[in-house]
Amino acid sequence: MGVWELMTSYSPRLLARASEGLVPSLRTYLDCIAGKVPDSTFYSHKSVLSEFCIWIDRHQIELATAPENIAVQFLGSYLLNSNYSQSTVRGHVSTISNFLAYQYRRDPQLLKIKIASALREHPDSSLQDVGDSIIGDTETEPNSRLSSQIHDFITTLRQHQFGTRTHVYVEILLDTKSRPEQVRQLDFSDLNIDNGQILVGISETYVVRSVGLLTKRVCPLSATTLEALNIYLEYEREGSISDQRSPLLTTYDGRPSSSTLRRSVKQASASLASENQPQAIVPAKLWQYAIYKILS
């Protein structure tokens, strides 16, 4: 059953509210993914999201509500008494994350993690299990020893390497909570230092990105990161800032490779290595730490 066919079973008042709410966005979303994803994916999105939009209108949910809270309320009321398997519910979380990312211009991965985190606090144990499984898959909970080591590493960077490429790279990872590759791919034109914002790419593993509905998101930068960026741009960055197409993070040869950035982080953290803190700090661990701060 399609969006509009599904809605004909509801009252005219509900239909009027729906036409002003998420349904127009859903229609655009479905039109865009049609033919660009497997049929099974399209019809799954169509079914789940149609029910999702109807539920929002029926319960008069305010769209100003945090999107992860809307998703959890829906999952709790719509799926709680169903016989859906855990894998099916996980699929619904991914579907809703993609759509809400498009609607709110947010990162679908961060939305998915926030939804999962909220599900872990849900009274129903089956939904708690879904949240646990999603968080477990993302491996976003570093052990306490590594968390302490990363905290010390960040402090050391700010004290002794402020404004270096490595420091800027780490601060942007922490502020945006983006994957290391997304930060590496930043161009100078993505930075709006006057507004304290940066545009960061969305992972192509998500439907909303793969079909071109949402390719980047706006992230605020902290005062510390902006200060470090100003120093980096003035004293260390290679290349002209007048070239808007050039990479934000640079080497003599242009954009640094993933291995170059990984090595620079490991080398900067080498001074913290000890028998009590033997684990190397790498960009992927910094991303886990940034996500963990959301969950804690």
Side-chain angles (χ1 to χ4, degrees), residues 5-6 21 37 42 61 108 120 128 154 201 212 231 243 245 264 273 275 292:
E5 292 86 351
L6 179 66
V37 297
F42 173 78
I61 303 297
R120 297 168 94 185
Q128 292 173 19
I154 295 166
I231 293 173
D243 183 0
R245 296 170 299 176
S264 71
E275 291 183 2
Y292 177 66

Side-chain angles (χ1 to χ4, degrees), residues 132-147:
D132 285 338
S133 66
I134 293 172
I135 297 298
D137 283 352
T138 56
E139 299 180 351
T140 53
E141 296 186 276
N143 59 52
S144 58
R145 179 182 295 181
L146 181 58
S147 292

Side-chain angles (χ1 to χ4, degrees), residues 33-44:
I33 70 172
K36 298 178 182 177
V37 297
D39 288 347
S40 58
T41 300
F42 173 78
Y43 287 112
S44 174

Side-chain angles (χ1 to χ4, degrees), residues 42-232:
F42 173 78
Y43 287 112
S44 174
H45 279 236
K46 186 175 183 179
S47 174
V48 173
L49 295 176
S50 297
E51 292 286 356
F52 179 56
C53 289
I54 291 297
W55 175 86
I56 286 174
D57 286 306
R58 178 195 293 159
H59 294 278
Q60 301 185 45
I61 303 297
E62 292 292 333
L63 297 184
T65 305
E68 58 270 21
N69 292 339
I70 295 175
V72 171
Q73 290 178 52
F74 168 72
L75 292 167
S77 65
Y78 179 66
L79 302 176
L80 194 56
N81 298 317
S82 70
N83 294 319
Y84 288 118
S85 66
Q86 185 180 110
S87 62
T88 299
V89 178
R90 284 173 54 113
H92 291 343
V93 171
S94 293
T95 297
I96 293 169
S97 298
N98 272 283
F99 176 60
L100 290 179
Y102 164 65
Q103 175 69 23
Y104 289 88
R105 321 308 290 175
R106 300 273 292 275
D107 185 335
Q109 183 168 49
L110 293 183
L111 270 176
K112 184 177 179 180
I113 290 171
K114 287 185 175 182
I115 292 170
S117 178
L119 286 175
R120 297 168 94 185
E121 305 299 322
H122 197 278
D124 184 78
S125 60
S126 62
L127 291 178
Q128 292 173 19
D129 291 342
V130 172
D132 285 338
S133 66
I134 293 172
I135 297 298
D137 283 352
T138 56
E139 299 180 351
T140 53
E141 296 186 276
N143 59 52
S144 58
R145 179 182 295 181
L146 181 58
S147 292
S148 176
Q149 187 179 356
I150 290 174
H151 179 271
D152 292 344
F153 170 59
I154 295 166
T155 300
T156 299
L157 278 180
R158 290 171 178 171
Q159 291 175 345
H160 302 292
Q161 296 191 35
F162 198 93
T164 62
R165 186 189 66 200
T166 300
H167 176 225
V168 167
Y169 175 60
V170 170
E171 294 287 4
I172 293 176
L173 271 172
L174 297 175
D175 279 359
T176 65
K177 298 165 182 60
S178 299
R179 293 280 191 176
E181 179 61 16
Q182 293 162 344
V183 176
R184 188 184 79 85
Q185 291 290 344
L186 288 170
D187 289 330
F188 182 77
S189 59
D190 293 321
L191 176 65
N192 188 330
I193 207 160
D194 292 334
N195 290 343
Q197 296 175 329
I198 196 164
L199 286 172
V200 182
I202 303 294
S203 171
E204 292 190 5
T205 59
Y206 287 88
V207 168
V208 71
R209 170 65 179 88
S210 65
V211 302
L213 271 171
L214 181 66
T215 59
K216 292 187 176 183
R217 61 188 174 99
V218 178
C219 299
L221 297 173
S222 67
T224 299
T225 302
L226 290 170
E227 183 181 357
L229 272 164
N230 275 314
I231 293 173
Y232 170 70

